[in-house]
């Protein structure tokens, strides 16, 4: 087996290779220093892969990384591998999991269809709707990133976990079981892409250190509202923990409401403090 990392996921690919004790294949991402002037992506495998089971690791944010993933998968397949597994740590377009309006594509399925051209299977993490993986044209599995967050929070002196909405309850439950920290939850109503409202609820957080646990931080609106509710009720310390840190738009300003922010390496950022390499390595081992 060999691991190939796309430019958005080199540290995670290296971590997975280390966990599995298999080689990481070097890749060139620029034909000329500075890359193509029009921003088009370029990839070239710098090591041999024929006859191997190859695992390509590439997150799909921002969008050009998706093109890079398709280029890598094509180059790997053309090189004559026996099996190609795609590890897509953050599966972009996952939120368009149905046709909300006539004339729309089911974008998540569109991406999966293109992956299925070259890849034998897909492993992803905290996809918006794991049930939709069953509709993909290649075998696909959602791997949990919560053990990684649980490991971190266990040693971060946290008294309580908070799920900011109904969707995050199962995540908080999983972290709670791993870290041995109790959890509570809030009810959120999304007004638009940038605005959320949180229903008032009494929380037993006075003087406590609380970690808000979510799958994604995008604009940070959800976290800001939850942090405000915690502060108003006397929380001493507020941490935001997520699997996928997109941190777009007003995220930096919104996250000022927190004492600390942690994200995993599904999307590399300055908030990446936790690696999910162990989780993906275990899922790859389980492929047999
Ligand atoms: C929504 O259901 C998700 O779990 C996240 O809460 C949401 O995507 C976060 O978005 P934002 O950071 O923009 O509030």
């Amino acid at each position: 087996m060999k691991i190939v990392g796309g430019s958005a996921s080199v540290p995670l690919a290296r971590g997975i290779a280390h966990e599995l004790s298999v080689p990481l294949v070097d890749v060139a991402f620029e034909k000329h220093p500075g890359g193509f002037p029009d921003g088009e992506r370029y990839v070239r495998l710098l090591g041999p892969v024929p006859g191997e089971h190859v695992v390509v690791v590439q997150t799909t944010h921002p969008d050009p990384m998706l093109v890079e993933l398709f280029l890598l998968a094509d180059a790997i397949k053309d090189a004559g591998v026996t099996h190609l597994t795609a590890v897509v740590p953050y599966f972009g377009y996952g939120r368009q999991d149905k046709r909300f309006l006539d004339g729309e594509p089911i974008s998540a399925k569109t991406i999966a269809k293109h992956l299925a051209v070259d890849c034998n299977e897909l492993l992803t993490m905290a996809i918006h709707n794991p049930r939709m993986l069953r509709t993909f044209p290649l075998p696909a599995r959602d791997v949990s990133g919560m053990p990684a967050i649980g490991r971190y929070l266990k040693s971060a002196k946290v008294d309580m976990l908070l799920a900011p909405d109904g969707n995050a309850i199962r995540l908080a439950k999983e972290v709670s079981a791993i870290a041995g920290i109790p959890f509570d939850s809030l009810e959120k109503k999304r007004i638009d892409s940038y605005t959320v409202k949180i229903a008032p609820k009494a929380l037993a957080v006075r003087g406590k250190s609380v970690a808000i646990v979510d799958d994604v931080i995008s604009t940070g609106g959800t976290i800001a509202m939850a942090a405000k509710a915690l502060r108003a009720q006397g929380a001493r310390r507020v941490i935001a923990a997520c699997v996928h840190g997109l941190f777009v738009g007003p995220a930096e300003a919104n996250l000022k409401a927190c004492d600390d922010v942690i994200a995993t390496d599904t999307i590399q950022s300055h908030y990446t403090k936790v690696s999910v390499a162990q989780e993906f390595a275990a899922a790859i081992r389980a492929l047999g």
Side-chain angles (χ1 to χ4, degrees):
M1 178 183 285
K2 288 189 177 177
I3 311 292
V4 173
S7 67
S9 297
V10 173
L12 177 56
R14 190 176 294 120
I16 293 172
H18 176 78
E19 289 290 330
L20 294 171
S21 302
V22 299
L24 177 72
V25 178
D26 283 334
V27 179
F29 297 108
E30 289 180 352
K31 192 157 191 169
H32 313 289
F36 293 129
D38 56 8
E40 284 186 355
R41 303 306 302 161
Y42 170 85
V43 297
R44 182 176 169 223
L45 302 171
L46 297 176
V49 291
E52 297 280 351
H53 172 183
V54 171
V55 179
V56 61
V57 184
Q58 170 75 328
T59 220
T60 60
H61 175 80
D63 269 13
M65 298 300 109
L66 193 52
V67 176
E68 206 183 87
L69 172 60
F70 295 142
L71 296 177
L72 274 172
D74 195 30
I76 295 166
K77 190 72 186 296
D78 273 0
V81 297
T82 54
H83 198 86
L84 178 55
T85 303
V87 169
V88 180
Y90 172 70
F91 194 95
Y93 294 87
R95 281 176 278 195
Q96 181 78 14
D97 58 352
K98 61 181 174 197
R99 221 180 299 283
F100 295 93
L101 297 171
D102 283 350
E104 289 179 347
I106 303 171
S107 309
K109 213 165 156 189
T110 311
I111 307 299
K113 268 202 270 191
H114 286 82
L115 279 176
V117 171
D118 290 313
C119 302
N120 298 97
E121 74 240 319
L122 163 70
L123 297 175
T124 187
M125 183 167 277
I127 191 168
H128 180 67
N129 173 7
R131 287 184 306 279
M132 94 155 314
L133 294 177
R134 288 189 229 128
T135 69
F136 283 6
L138 76 173
R141 193 190 139 195
D142 191 68
V143 177
S144 177
M146 291 305 132
I149 291 181
R151 283 194 299 275
Y152 183 93
L153 292 180
K154 200 172 179 172
S155 54
K157 296 195 171 84
V158 171
D159 305 311
M160 202 180 118
L161 306 172
L162 184 75
D165 57 29
N167 287 339
I169 292 178
R170 65 186 166 84
L171 311 177
K173 248 187 207 164
E174 201 181 333
V175 175
S176 170
I178 292 160
I181 305 168
F183 75 94
D184 203 339
S185 63
L186 290 171
E187 257 177 59
K188 176 179 93 180
K189 190 172 173 211
R190 181 163 287 286
I191 313 297
D192 60 37
S193 294
Y194 290 90
T195 325
V196 294
K197 269 193 175 166
I198 279 179
K201 179 178 173 185
L203 300 163
V205 293
R206 186 154 301 282
K208 288 187 179 167
S209 167
V210 184
I212 307 164
V213 178
D214 210 347
D215 52 354
V216 184
I217 298 178
S218 178
T219 66
T222 301
I223 295 294
M225 290 304 286
K228 220 165 121 188
L230 288 169
R231 297 274 188 215
Q233 298 190 47
R236 174 176 52 81
R237 183 166 163 252
V238 177
I239 300 173
C242 69
V243 178
H244 306 306
L246 288 166
F247 308 121
V248 295
E252 289 295 330
N254 279 332
L255 294 172
K256 288 207 169 85
C258 301
D259 298 296
D260 199 7
V261 179
I262 69 151
T264 76
D265 52 359
T266 60
I267 300 171
Q268 200 68 36
S269 76
H270 63 278
Y271 293 116
T272 297
K273 292 167 190 160
V274 181
S275 179
V276 292
Q278 276 185 46
E279 283 62 39
F280 277 119
I284 292 165
R285 271 190 217 103
L287 293 172

